[in-house]
Amino acid sequence: MDMYLGIDFGTSGARGIVIDDEACIQVEVRYAFEDSSICDMPDFWQKALFELLEQIPQELRREIRAIAINGTSSTVLVCDAIGKPVDAPLLYDDARGSSMREQLRSVAPPNHNVLSATSSLVKLLWMRQLPSFNEAKYFLHQADWLAFLLHGYLGVSDYHNALKLGYDVEQLKYPEWLEKMQLSIQLPKVLPPGTPISEVRFEIAAKFGLRHDCLVCAGTTDSIAAFLASGAKLPGEAVTSLGSTLVLKLLSHTCIEDARYGIYSHRLGDLWLTGGASNTGGAVLKHFFSDVELESLSREIDGSKASELDYYPLLKVGDRFPINDPNLPPRLETRPNNSVEFLHGLLESIARIETQGYELLQKMGADKLSRVYTAGGGAANDTWTAIRARHLQVPVAVSVYTEAAYGTALLAMRGVEK
């Protein structure tokens, strides 16, 4: 029986899921990220990728027909002609490129998603100033580079990752205004997510016991992979990813792009996934509480009652959506002595930001919200689910599958089946 491997590189760890022809999970593997300097990140990513492959039982590895990888949106790096990173990558929430937005405003269309302080394109413009850029040949996203390690072809991406680079997902090409910028680096060739790129490199197949005709497919972003895993399929259905950050995706007939609010739309067949990503989320909760504390304290909260505490929970200055302001300060004052009350206030405040995000998407023309599926670690918190349902005023359910790696495995399977 053919197997399909999906690999998810999130903000707190990497995961792999192998599914069979019936989309049933055969094995799940995990690799938790440790603290690592940003300069060592690519080596660390490679180690995580290979560790995940080694964790898969050998008998399953021999049956893997296709592999796809997702990465965090707008996590990018520049590489030399043989794929070696020439400098540290810039992570998804790195806003140093915001200083380049004025330069970009004279070229890009008004309110385009590339004008976000954390877009891939502003990161590229910022990287061009570095001395190391003289050695750069290719600009890649995290998922692109990881897939390259398996298939060996540099400069290939997918149109989910390439969206914030300026790729036109309606016309399926780079726009003229971007090509005129003459960026002096090779932008990736962009394929539909799931498209087979190449068989795995011979040495990779030999090292890990993979079949030599195992295909590596174009990937996606972590939040879209979570959407694919969720079971959502109708316009008006949405997925909230409650991981380290808060990511909203609403399936809609309408494509919405507005950098003023950090709103962007991904193509998904004939429909659009419109949404945005906030820097609030689980990372803030874990800054104050352990996993055990989160579980035990949540049980003491009455989710049907509102908290009087009003926070804007961030770990550092700046947010991307629904308020797109790199200078937005965290608001965490008036912390009560009671830990249950404090956690209640945090959960309530993140739920308000989620609701504000969906209200903004609908105000901008997206389909009316009808149901919200939940992915990520926060999906298991029943108290938080009750608080969110009270704010959202629509049914809130746990995704059919909550792991983004499952959605990426589906992408690999569907890509080979086409």
Side-chain angles (χ1 to χ4, degrees), residues 74 92-98 101 105 110-120 122-123 164 257-264 275-280 312 314 317-329 353 356-357 360 364:
S74 291
Y92 66 97
D93 60 348
D94 193 310
R96 281 177 284 181
S98 61
R101 286 192 294 174
R105 281 193 179 96
N111 302 323
H112 196 283
N113 67 70
V114 297
L115 296 172
S116 163
T118 57
S119 79
S120 301
V122 297
K123 289 186 173 88
K164 295 178 186 178
E257 302 277 348
D258 201 320
R260 292 175 300 172
Y261 307 108
I263 296 173
Y264 52 91
S278 170
N279 292 336
T280 193
Y312 202 103
L314 299 170
V317 170
D319 202 8
R320 300 171 285 161
F321 168 86
I323 300 173
N324 189 13
D325 180 0
N327 300 310
L328 184 72
I353 294 170
Q356 183 182 348
L360 179 60
M364 299 296 290

Side-chain angles (χ1 to χ4, degrees), residues 341-408:
E341 290 180 18
F342 181 49
L343 177 58
H344 191 180
L346 290 174
L347 297 178
E348 191 92 23
S349 298
I350 297 173
R352 276 194 292 267
I353 294 170
E354 178 187 9
T355 302
Q356 183 182 348
Y358 281 122
E359 288 174 348
L360 179 60
L361 294 176
Q362 292 168 92
K363 181 180 177 182
M364 299 296 290
D367 284 46
K368 181 176 173 59
L369 185 69
S370 61
R371 176 182 294 271
V372 175
Y373 293 88
T374 312
N381 190 317
D382 293 337
T383 302
W384 201 1
T385 299
I387 292 171
R388 294 170 52 235
R390 171 164 47 80
H391 281 274
L392 292 166
Q393 295 293 297
V394 297
V396 177
V398 175
S399 296
V400 177
Y401 292 96
T402 60
E403 294 290 356
Y406 181 82
T408 312

